[in-house]
Amino acid sequence: MRARTAQDRQLLDLIDPIAESLGLEVVRVRLMTGSKRQRLQIMAERPSDHDISVEQCAKLSRAVSEVFDAADPIAGEYMLEVSSPGIDRPLTRPLDFDLFEGEEARLETDRMIEGRKRFKGVLAGYEDGNVLIDLDGEEDTALIPFDWLSDAKLVLTDALMKRGAAIRAARGEPEDDGLPEGEAAENTTDTTTPSEDNA
């Protein structure tokens, strides 16, 4: 789920070693096509605390731009956007479901499971290739194969906001860093860097 399409996977193969050289991990890569210009979105974080600084975003953006200028993997102009995963982050790796156990999440599968594809509940971890989730209104913990997921992300709740605030406070960062989009910037680690394919 870190990469959705075949092209996303090819780009991820190029980006992963760049991020690793900077001490970062790629959470997700998406090449999105719009009416005017394509947008390459890279979400990354430090493995140590699952966050990233503005400076690290900028370094990763510059490093990716250098490699992509030489490799030319994207046809036409595109905007490169490097950011943190945010508070209501996407869940793209097995470790994410253990890391955020106890938090509320929405999952979507690429096939029907007992008549539906969308699920909402509290994460109960990851085990033997399955995501464990306590679904709203159901007693038993559901097991959803990780490989069947097409999308998964945390739900922005008061508890999740408090968790983010506590982490920021421990690092001495402002308490209002991380308000929901629309109230303020999602977090202060987002940076957008324009890049163009000169081919």
Side-chain angles (χ1 to χ4, degrees), residues 80-155:
L80 175 59
E81 179 185 285
V82 179
S83 72
S84 76
I87 298 174
D88 52 340
R89 60 181 293 145
L91 305 168
T92 62
R93 305 159 296 182
L95 67 88
D96 293 333
F97 298 94
D98 281 332
L99 182 65
F100 293 98
E101 183 175 348
E103 299 291 352
E104 195 171 339
R106 285 191 177 93
L107 312 181
E108 188 169 340
T109 58
D110 61 7
R111 65 201 76 185
M112 300 292 278
I113 300 177
E114 295 184 2
R116 60 176 172 163
K117 290 185 174 183
R118 292 183 176 87
F119 305 86
K120 181 181 175 184
V122 176
L123 294 176
Y126 179 87
E127 188 176 296
D128 298 328
N130 295 302
V131 172
L132 282 62
I133 185 167
D134 295 322
L135 298 173
D136 293 349
E138 297 187 18
E139 292 184 10
D140 296 333
T141 298
L143 276 65
I144 298 178
F146 175 79
D147 290 341
W148 291 11
L149 293 177
S150 61
D151 195 35
K153 69 178 298 183
L154 293 179
V155 174

Side-chain angles (χ1 to χ4, degrees), residues 25-29 41-45 81-86 90:
E25 288 184 355
V26 178
V27 174
R28 191 177 78 179
V29 169
Q41 183 189 72
I42 302 171
M43 291 182 179
E45 65 183 13
E81 179 185 285
V82 179
S83 72
S84 76

